[in-house]
Amino acid sequence: MRYLLLINAGELDLTGGAVGCEPEDWMRFDKEIQESGVVVASESLADLVTATRVQVDNDGKRTVTDGPFAETREVLGGFYVIDVPDLDVALDWAARCPGSRAGGSVVVRPVAEFPGA
Amino acid sequence: MDQVEAVFREERGRLLAALCRRYGDLDLAEEVTSEAIEAALVRWPVDGVPPNPGGWLMTTARRKAVDRLRRDQVYAAKLAVMQVEADRAAPPATGDELPDERLQLFFTCAHPALAAEDRGALTLRCLAGLTTPEVARAYLVPVATMAKRIVRAKKKIREARIPFRVPGADELPERLPGVLQVIYSIFTEGYAASSGPFLQRIDVAEEAIRLARILHRLLPGEREVIGLLGLMLLTHARRDARTGPGGALILLEEQDRGRWDRAMIEEGRELVVAALTGGPAGPYAVQAAIAAVHDEAADFATTDWPQIVALYDVLFTIDPSPVVALNRAAAIAMRDGPEAGLALLDELADEPRLRAYHPYALARADLLHRLGRLPEATTAYEEALASAGTEPEREHVRRRIEETQP
């Protein structure tokens, strides 16, 4: 079963890195999870200032805006899609992810399965 | 409860757990469990009760499951995939794991990924064998509301794939408290209903005790399970003395201790000894010990208050919560006088968890009352009145307010 791990950074330091998470922590975690063979896809997202929002209204008019720059404290920083047997295994990986520490969190969402897919 | 019904309730949980393990699907397991029990209710009065009733039910349920899977190939294919994955996740039990099928179901129903309010409901339904209307009655919510909650919880189990498995020995210390919390919250819902016309609902409390007994049989060596069972028995032993005519609340200090259930106290005391033996005590064991000290006292005044304060000190080191601090302050008021207790309560005034918390307002009002500070006591009682959840509690506070009037 596939699960999406949405990594929300907690407090950010002045350079935009998550407080309390060293790059080495991430490298160690990424190596571990990649080598375990459960990763289907994974990306880390570019800085939030690069985000652009697109909305199309009922008349088909496109609106493009800079942002959004989260008012909230948590910022989506990256994700993993993993294929593991059940939620407990997914939660274990989420708990090992450095993004779950230092005020950050990892949201675990099962990927919907459609019959015949 | 009807004798036959009691047998089926017990069997229902067993059967359901075994079928969950076999098929990895709660819906299918529930469906065929019900069908097997219905079949038994039809067959047994005619053919007689089979020599092995549990085996008969299991065979019947499995036959029904095979029929169902034959009819629905898509479902069967999906289950087969899940089963392969489940085997991958939980290889056949080794000596390190705890054998018994119901234990897995306890952990699934109390899984932290489920909404806290749904865990108790699911546990009552799957392990205590209550129907959805019975579970709704236990929580004083409309049947439709409860049905929706149970459907939601089962959907999460199925679609997020919460596994049916017993946590390994290394995970158990983290996961077992969640199961105990579910059972205890069912008990407190029965012992001290959070709302409604009645103070206590004895049948709900007894379901919690029954669940704890099952869990104790499954995990005989877990001292916190022993502690929880002891705590509930030592508390439940006072049930007949806790309410007077018309369901009025009778506080510990005013209870007729002759109406306490001595046999239950005796059983609880033995459990407390076991729960406290062999290493540092857990929070349920310490709370059970406190209940035991109360149950052993001939009356309220001669209760061993220094002992109770000492136990609250221990409890506070394990669980430094404002509620424990409140109970400790109340015990200190008994040991050292109301002034000492009031000073401690006032230190807790800014705790968000105690704001509008009925026991806090009431304890403070009682100490002001005892100190003769009547106008302040009246104000505090009025706060307690506003935060009381049940009618007997409100009635009790109204009586106190009258006593404080000049």
Side-chain angles (χ1 to χ4, degrees):
Chain A
M1 172 122 179
R2 286 171 303 152
Y3 295 88
L4 171 63
L5 311 188
L6 286 163
I7 301 162
N8 296 301
E11 204 183 328
L12 300 180
D13 64 23
L14 292 175
T15 63
V19 171
C21 271
E22 302 305 322
E24 300 82 66
D25 294 337
W26 280 105
M27 282 158 69
R28 198 177 313 116
F29 172 75
D30 192 64
K31 186 167 186 289
E32 199 182 343
I33 194 168
Q34 299 288 354
E35 284 178 357
S36 77
V38 300
V39 176
V40 177
S42 69
E43 296 296 348
S44 118
L45 303 181
D47 196 290
L48 192 64
V49 297
T50 61
T52 310
R53 181 209 291 264
V54 177
Q55 284 177 298
V56 178
D57 68 15
N58 291 339
D59 303 327
K61 185 173 170 295
R62 180 195 293 189
T63 310
V64 174
T65 40
D66 187 22
F69 309 116
E71 305 292 328
T72 54
R73 291 165 46 100
E74 295 199 327
V75 175
L76 180 63
F79 69 87
Y80 284 90
V81 176
I82 58 174
D83 190 355
V84 292
D86 61 48
L87 184 66
D88 279 358
V89 182
L91 296 180
D92 280 344
W93 281 114
R96 285 155 77 174
C97 175
S100 64
R101 302 204 192 102
S105 67
V106 176
V107 174
V108 179
R109 299 276 307 263
V111 174
E113 288 177 337
F114 299 100
Chain B
M1 198 195 320
D2 191 283
Q3 204 59 25
V4 178
E5 208 182 308
V7 170
F8 280 127
R9 262 198 187 184
E10 187 74 20
E11 285 303 327
R12 178 183 281 274
R14 252 187 247 276
L15 198 56
L16 188 64
L19 291 161
C20 278
R21 179 169 187 88
R22 187 168 179 88
Y23 299 106
D25 185 75
L26 184 53
D27 281 324
L28 178 67
E30 276 205 311
E31 186 184 313
V32 299
T33 295
S34 298
E35 286 176 9
I37 287 174
E38 275 163 35
L41 288 170
V42 173
R43 295 309 322 165
W44 294 3
V46 182
D47 303 346
V49 176
N52 175 2
W56 188 97
L57 286 168
M58 187 66 188
T59 308
T60 308
R62 277 165 61 174
R63 206 174 293 142
K64 305 250 178 218
V66 169
D67 287 349
R68 165 76 207 272
L69 294 177
R70 263 195 207 124
R71 280 199 311 273
D72 190 343
Q73 296 289 331
V74 176
Y75 190 50
K78 199 173 150 217
L79 271 194
V81 172
M82 280 170 57
Q83 205 47 40
V84 170
E85 299 211 344
D87 289 344
R88 182 151 69 95
T94 62
D96 198 21
E97 280 169 347
L98 306 142
D100 194 292
E101 324 256 343
R102 272 186 298 182
L103 197 50
Q104 313 180 49
L105 203 47
F106 266 110
F107 281 100
T108 304
C109 292
H111 200 284
L114 294 171
E117 66 195 65
D118 295 350
R119 295 177 210 156
L122 214 52
T123 302
L124 277 174
R125 182 168 152 126
C126 295
L127 286 146
L130 266 57
T131 62
T132 299
E134 285 168 334
V135 179
R137 217 172 306 138
Y139 286 98
L140 302 172
V141 300
V143 176
T145 307
M146 182 52 74
K148 245 182 252 163
R149 276 170 51 182
I150 288 177
V151 166
R152 176 180 71 185
K154 280 165 53 178
K155 182 180 161 88
K156 173 126 193 206
I157 291 175
R158 187 176 60 246
E159 293 185 4
R161 204 172 297 168
I162 293 176
F164 298 96
R165 62 184 268 274
V166 175
D170 56 328
E171 295 169 83
L172 206 55
E174 202 175 301
R175 291 286 309 277
L176 186 58
V179 176
L180 300 179
Q181 171 60 38
V182 165
I183 296 177
Y184 193 50
S185 71
I186 294 170
F187 180 77
T188 50
E189 192 53 45
Y191 167 77
S194 51
S195 62
F198 305 112
L199 182 73
Q200 50 182 1
R201 280 167 303 135
I202 286 168
D203 53 339
V204 178
E206 279 168 359
E207 286 302 338
I209 291 173
R210 205 161 66 79
L211 287 166
R213 286 191 192 283
I214 296 172
L215 192 62
H216 176 43
R217 279 202 299 278
L218 298 171
L219 291 171
E222 284 296 332
R223 285 162 53 218
E224 275 294 87
V225 180
I226 301 174
L228 173 63
L229 179 56
L231 170 62
M232 295 195 300
L233 291 173
L234 290 162
T235 310
H236 197 57
R238 306 179 205 136
R239 65 196 174 278
D240 291 340
R242 285 186 72 229
T243 47
L249 167 66
I250 303 179
L251 291 183
L252 189 58
E253 54 195 281
E254 297 157 344
Q255 286 175 17
D256 173 4
R257 297 181 176 220
R259 298 185 66 199
W260 287 359
D261 183 337
R262 289 290 147 196
M264 198 174 266
I265 290 173
E266 206 38 57
E267 187 190 355
R269 285 178 52 175
E270 281 170 27
L271 291 167
V272 169
V273 173
L276 291 175
T277 308
Y284 288 110
V286 178
Q287 291 177 79
I290 292 168
V293 175
H294 280 301
D295 287 359
E296 285 160 13
D299 56 55
F300 193 68
T302 62
T303 302
D304 188 349
W305 293 107
Q307 176 73 7
I308 295 218
V309 172
L311 287 166
Y312 272 120
D313 286 340
V314 174
L315 186 59
F316 194 76
T317 60
I318 308 171
D319 173 18
S321 69
V323 172
V324 173
L326 158 64
N327 288 320
R328 181 175 168 274
I332 285 177
M334 289 308 297
R335 188 189 65 180
D336 302 339
E339 207 129 354
L342 187 63
L344 290 171
L345 286 186
D346 285 341
E347 281 173 26
L348 298 169
D350 292 333
E351 285 290 348
R353 273 180 66 190
L354 297 183
R355 211 164 291 149
Y357 183 63
H358 176 65
Y360 177 76
L362 186 62
R364 211 175 149 268
D366 278 337
L367 292 183
L368 288 165
H369 191 186
R370 277 170 59 194
L371 286 165
R373 290 158 63 174
L374 297 184
E376 288 167 89
T378 307
T379 310
Y381 277 127
E382 274 157 6
E383 280 168 33
L385 187 61
S387 56
T390 64
E391 189 46 37
E393 286 170 310
R394 278 190 286 274
E395 187 49 41
H396 170 81
V397 177
R398 280 189 214 108
R399 281 202 308 274
R400 287 293 163 100
I401 290 176
E402 273 170 37
E403 288 167 21
T404 58
Q405 299 311 306

